[in-house]
Amino acid sequence: MEAFGDKPVDQITGGIAGEFRDMLFALPSTHGKHKNSPGIHDAILRAREQGLETLSGKTVKNHFSRLSALWGHLVQREIVARNPWAGWTYDVTQKIDRRDWTDRELAQLSTARWTSTTTSLRSYVGLITIALYTGMRLGELCNLRTQDIVTVNGIRCFHVRPHPEENWSPKTAAGTRLIPLHSHLLQWGVLDLVQEGEHYLFPDLNPSARGRGTDFAQAFSKFKKRLGLPETVTFHSFRHTVSTKLRNQGGNIRELWIDTLLGHEASHRSQGTTTYTSSIAVQNLQQVVEALDYPTFQIPLPPH
């Protein structure tokens, strides 16, 4: 009913059943498990933007089995002519886990020619490069505004924060955070992405009802396949790569600082988890960011 309205049962067609099947496969696996779960359409959008784990084939099959059983009774009573929920197939094999990018794959990405007509080369290069040096989610990147580049205690940062006027916000409360700009980003010219008169850092991304960057996500997926990269490597793998590199660092990098940088809910709460603007906190985050290094990744082109 939420997806299609309160239709009479004899108006539920195979087309609607198929569309509902696609929607179920796109829903995050945690949907409905919390009191304040978003609506189905918002949940699908959030899952796509943030690369969340979605419902398994087994779960979707269970939903369809229940609907099919109900429609079986309706067919017997001649209330409907056919059962649109029967006969579907489901991939019930174990899901492919995303993994980090390898050095070889990052080198390949550096030299590959971006050919998409829906997203500019400037935005493509900016998105993948910032992702590698910040660990930001795709939805956070696509919604960066020019005003979200700020200076805190002399340190240039991205400020990931809610946009109430645009009905967008980070995934969690911890998603509101400062991310110091890596020295490689500054040397590359990330500040040149700011264009006078433009609201967003990547203004050419399609502001569709499904969310900014949906076209880019689809284009990147096709691009990745064209390069022969495996299904286990996705755009969200940039975030995995950042997390893995930071957690494997030695030295004085604390787990709490990494969680803060990535917008993860900290395993334990303290005043330090919410003190984003003190000089100590920002300097610590800068230390974390500067630990990221990709010897085989050469930023393809300047952002001009």
Side-chain angles (χ1 to χ4, degrees):
M1 288 172 62
E2 184 183 348
F4 303 103
D6 191 5
K7 293 180 178 294
V9 289
D10 61 355
Q11 291 184 18
I12 305 297
T13 65
I16 289 177
E19 189 175 345
F20 190 61
R21 178 181 179 276
D22 294 341
M23 293 174 76
L24 288 178
F25 272 115
L27 269 176
S29 58
T30 57
H31 184 67
K33 296 181 180 178
H34 306 290
K35 281 186 178 180
N36 298 322
S37 289
I40 187 170
H41 298 288
D42 289 340
I44 289 171
L45 172 61
R46 201 53 89 77
R48 184 183 298 117
E49 286 186 339
Q50 298 172 3
L52 303 179
E53 181 182 350
T54 55
L55 294 183
S56 67
K58 182 179 178 181
T59 300
V60 176
K61 182 179 180 180
N62 288 340
H63 284 303
F64 264 59
S65 294
R66 294 183 181 98
L67 288 166
S68 181
L70 172 60
W71 250 255
H73 289 293
L74 297 177
V75 170
Q76 284 181 316
R77 293 175 181 270
E78 298 184 350
I79 296 172
V80 298
R82 59 182 295 270
N83 183 351
W85 308 102
W88 295 92
T89 59
Y90 310 90
D91 181 6
V92 294
T93 58
Q94 191 169 5
K95 284 196 170 188
I96 299 172
D97 291 329
R98 288 185 292 259
R99 63 163 173 81
D100 301 344
W101 290 81
T102 65
D103 287 344
R104 182 190 63 78
E105 290 163 347
L106 288 177
Q108 183 180 2
L109 206 61
S110 297
T111 57
R113 181 170 170 266
W114 177 252
T115 56
S116 170
T117 57
T118 60
T119 304
S120 68
L121 175 63
R122 172 187 175 278
S123 289
Y124 158 71
V125 174
L127 288 166
I128 65 169
T129 304
I130 295 175
L132 272 173
Y133 286 103
T134 65
M136 273 195 264
R137 302 174 176 93
L138 180 57
E140 295 169 344
L141 287 162
C142 293
N143 284 282
L144 278 176
R145 304 165 297 183
T146 56
Q147 70 192 68
D148 292 330
I149 296 181
V150 299
T151 302
V152 177
N153 296 313
I155 298 173
R156 288 278 197 172
C157 302
F158 289 118
H159 191 182
V160 182
R161 51 187 164 177
H163 308 170
E165 71 282 4
E166 290 144 7
N167 197 30
W168 181 86
S169 63
K171 179 183 176 183
T172 64
T176 299
R177 63 200 189 279
L178 291 171
I179 304 175
L181 300 186
H182 196 290
S183 55
H184 285 348
L185 289 179
L186 292 170
Q187 292 165 11
W188 169 61
V190 67
L191 299 180
D192 293 332
L193 288 172
V194 177
Q195 298 181 55
E196 188 175 353
E198 292 289 356
H199 182 64
Y200 288 104
L201 211 58
F202 302 106
D204 65 302
L205 297 180
N206 184 9
S208 70
R210 295 174 296 167
R212 289 183 56 81
T214 300
D215 287 346
F216 168 75
Q218 294 172 346
F220 185 80
S221 180
K222 292 178 182 176
F223 176 66
K224 178 183 69 72
K225 289 178 183 176
R226 182 172 64 81
L227 296 181
L229 294 170
E231 291 183 27
T232 49
V233 179
T234 66
F235 190 92
H236 200 71
S237 294
F238 291 127
R239 183 169 167 83
H240 283 285
T241 304
V242 169
S243 179
T244 300
K245 277 188 172 287
L246 292 178
R247 296 183 199 284
N248 286 337
Q249 289 287 333
N252 300 319
I253 296 179
R254 295 172 54 194
E255 195 81 7
L256 174 62
W257 300 349
I258 298 172
D259 286 338
T260 300
L261 185 82
L262 294 174
H264 287 153
E265 296 286 355
S267 56
H268 62 280
R269 293 186 176 275
S270 68
Q271 186 176 354
T273 63
T274 55
T275 307
Y276 294 97
T277 55
S278 74
S279 59
I280 295 176
V282 177
Q283 287 171 351
N284 288 341
L285 295 177
Q286 186 179 40
Q287 179 183 339
V288 176
V289 164
E290 290 298 329
L292 293 169
D293 182 45
Y294 303 98
T296 63
F297 180 76
Q298 302 298 318
I299 301 177
L301 286 172
H304 309 291

